[in-house]
Each structure stands twice: as structure tokens, then as C-alpha cells.
Amino acid sequence: MITFHELYFIVYLQFRSFLKWILRKTTKLCELQRICYGMPSGCSRSQAVEYSLNYSKSLEIKAMTSNLTTIANEGRFNGRNQRTILEKSVMIVLQVKKINPHIHRQFIISFTRCLEHIWGYQQLIHEVETLRLLQFDSSVEEHENKLTRLWTALQPDVPLESRISRQWTDIGFQGDDPKTDFRGMGLLGLDNLVFFAEEYTEAARHVLSHSQHPQFGYSFAIVGINITSMAYNLLKDGAAKTHVYNTCKSVPSMRIFHQFYCYLFYEFDRFWIESKPKNVMQFSYIRNEFENNIRDSLSNQSTVFNINFVVNTV
């Protein structure tokens, strides 16, 4: 038996098809052309193209999108392969929609950018997930070096006495060996912390100093890993598309995710201090409130989180 929601969806799709036919006849442009010509670049345009492609009835376009998803999920949407894939995909759309490439060169440029956004984002999810699943291994020199770099960036004037040391608690780890704190987010949590500490050193040290506040203090590294989890979830459920699509000029990179994380960590620290928590037991409540605010901001398709840290002495 068909439910109300299923019936509504069926009626909606039929009406959408009829409306598309009317607009095609009156404007002489297909839906993808109307989107690329009529909407501003960034999130609005790329999400509209994504929606249109997902609900296309063309078997050729369905096969094309399926192939692009497979390539992105395998991490092959890059380099020369990316250019070849994009050219083939655009050609399929031109043929299916009967678009003259000589007349509609701007459409090709705009549509290609949208494809870069959509499947670059899909590939970014794959890259982030791969790092999250990679566990910290003390026998891997690269992993150990990253820990050392984190300490050096945050505590340049304080020598680390030994690899296993209570000193790690000074930057917010739970015990003598930080590796145990990366179990949930894997190497992704460490990479985020290192990026913040090395790329935005002044801001990271500023946040660290806040975490050591006698009244409003918190565990810097542990909270940082928690923010990694937040950034990961926002990326994976698609909420972060608004920021990513509006920021990227081409294919989203891991650097974009790291910068997104830095913004969240810095802003969470500010939100935490302004909330004046009675104790750390309020962390979950304040964290959830902060995430809800971020999601509200991302629901606006024009949102861009500018990485422009203003460090003060508060």
C-alpha cells in the first residue's frame, strides 16, 4: 500500500517533469543550462546541479553519475584522470541534452566546475574516512614524528623529556601516552591537531592558553579530537557542502577539511569561554549547542567560514 509520502513524491516527480518540459519549450534551455546560467557559482549552483543529475531519467546520465561516484570512492578523481573523466562526462551531457558546445561554452565551464565540486567532495569523504580508520602505530616513524611536531609547535620552549611522559597532559591528553586518545578518530585526529598547530600557530597557542584557564579550562587535545568528530560528521552528512562548495574553485582537497576543522576548533573555544561554563561537565551541552549553531549557519547556502583568526589577550 502506498503511503502519503510516497504518493506525494510520485506526484512531485510527475509535476517536476511536466514543469521541466514547459521550461525547455519556452526557454530553449535544459534544466542544467538554466541552473548554470541562472544561479550564482558556489553552493547554490552545485547543489542544484547535483539534485538535477540525481533525479535524471536518462540512462546515460545515470551511468555517468554512477561511474563518477565509483571513481571518487576509489580516490581516482585527480590528476590527468580527473581531466579525462570530466571531459567525457561533459560530453555525455552535451549529447544527451543536445547542447551545442560552440554556442554554450560558458555552460561547459560552469557545469565542469559543478562536477568538480560534487565528486571532489565525494572523494574528500573517502580520503577523510581512510585517515579516520588508520590507527596510530608507534612503530611507524611518520606517526611518531607527527606527535613530536605537535609538541614542538605548541610548546617550543619546553623540551619533551621522553616519549612516554606526564607532560602530554599539559597540552590536553589524558595520560602519559597520547596514542590511546586517537582510537576514535584515528590518524585524522592527530593530523587535524598538527595542521592547526603548524599552520595557525598563534591561534592554536591562543586556544591552548584558554584551555589552561583556572576556571574555564578544558583538555585541549581531547576537545580537539572531539572537534575532529564534529567536522567529520558535518562532512559526511553533507552539511559542510555549503562551506566547501562556496570556498573551492575546483576539486576540494584535504587542506580544505583541515581548515574547516581549524575554524570549528577556534570558534568552539570562543563559544566555550563566552558560555562561562560552571565546570567541564557542561561540555556535552555546550558542544551540542555550538554544533547546532554551525548547522544553522550552513543551512544558508551563501555561508562561507573565513579563516581569519583575530587573536586577542582575553
Side-chain angles (χ1 to χ4, degrees), residues 133-181:
L133 295 174
L134 183 61
Q135 291 300 304
F136 184 93
D137 187 345
S138 296
S139 66
V140 177
E141 185 177 358
E142 181 185 2
H143 295 190
E144 287 292 320
N145 286 341
K146 287 180 179 180
L147 262 185
T148 303
R149 285 163 53 192
L150 176 63
W151 178 270
T152 301
L154 293 175
Q155 302 279 62
D157 301 322
V158 182
L160 185 62
E161 295 172 359
S162 64
R163 167 62 179 79
I164 308 297
S165 169
R166 289 299 297 174
Q167 285 179 285
W168 289 111
T169 61
D170 294 342
I171 59 172
F173 287 102
Q174 294 184 98
D176 298 354
D177 192 349
K179 74 175 184 180
T180 59
D181 294 327

Side-chain angles (χ1 to χ4, degrees), residues 200-226:
Y200 305 103
T201 305
E202 187 178 2
R205 292 176 186 171
H206 176 69
V207 172
L208 176 62
S209 70
H210 275 184
S211 75
Q212 297 166 341
H213 191 280
Q215 185 177 355
F216 305 131
Y218 56 85
S219 299
F220 175 87
I222 296 302
V223 169
I225 294 170
N226 195 285

Side-chain angles (χ1 to χ4, degrees), residues 43-94:
C43 180
S44 298
R45 181 188 292 169
S46 293
Q47 284 203 313
V49 166
E50 187 172 8
Y51 183 88
S52 179
L53 291 175
N54 285 339
Y55 286 97
S56 174
K57 294 181 179 180
S58 165
L59 294 180
E60 293 93 334
I61 290 179
K62 284 180 181 292
M64 177 198 81
T65 58
S66 177
N67 183 52
L68 284 168
T69 299
T70 299
I71 290 168
N73 288 339
E74 293 175 353
R76 296 188 287 114
F77 193 64
N78 48 48
R80 287 185 179 178
N81 193 44
Q82 173 195 322
R83 182 175 179 178
T84 301
I85 292 164
L86 287 171
E87 288 175 351
K88 288 182 178 179
S89 299
V90 170
M91 187 58 65
I92 289 171
V93 170
L94 293 176

Side-chain angles (χ1 to χ4, degrees), residues 117-141:
H117 280 170
I118 297 164
W119 278 278
Y121 188 94
Q122 185 67 34
Q123 180 168 266
L124 180 58
I125 291 176
H126 163 77
E127 292 172 354
V128 166
E129 183 69 21
T130 299
L131 267 181
R132 188 185 72 85
L133 295 174
L134 183 61
Q135 291 300 304
F136 184 93
D137 187 345
S138 296
S139 66
V140 177
E141 185 177 358

Side-chain angles (χ1 to χ4, degrees), residues 289-307:
E289 189 176 3
F290 174 74
E291 181 175 343
N292 288 336
N293 290 346
I294 291 295
R295 288 186 179 277
D296 285 344
S297 295
L298 291 170
S299 67
N300 182 338
Q301 290 195 324
S302 64
T303 292
V304 178
F305 293 140
N306 293 314
I307 312 297

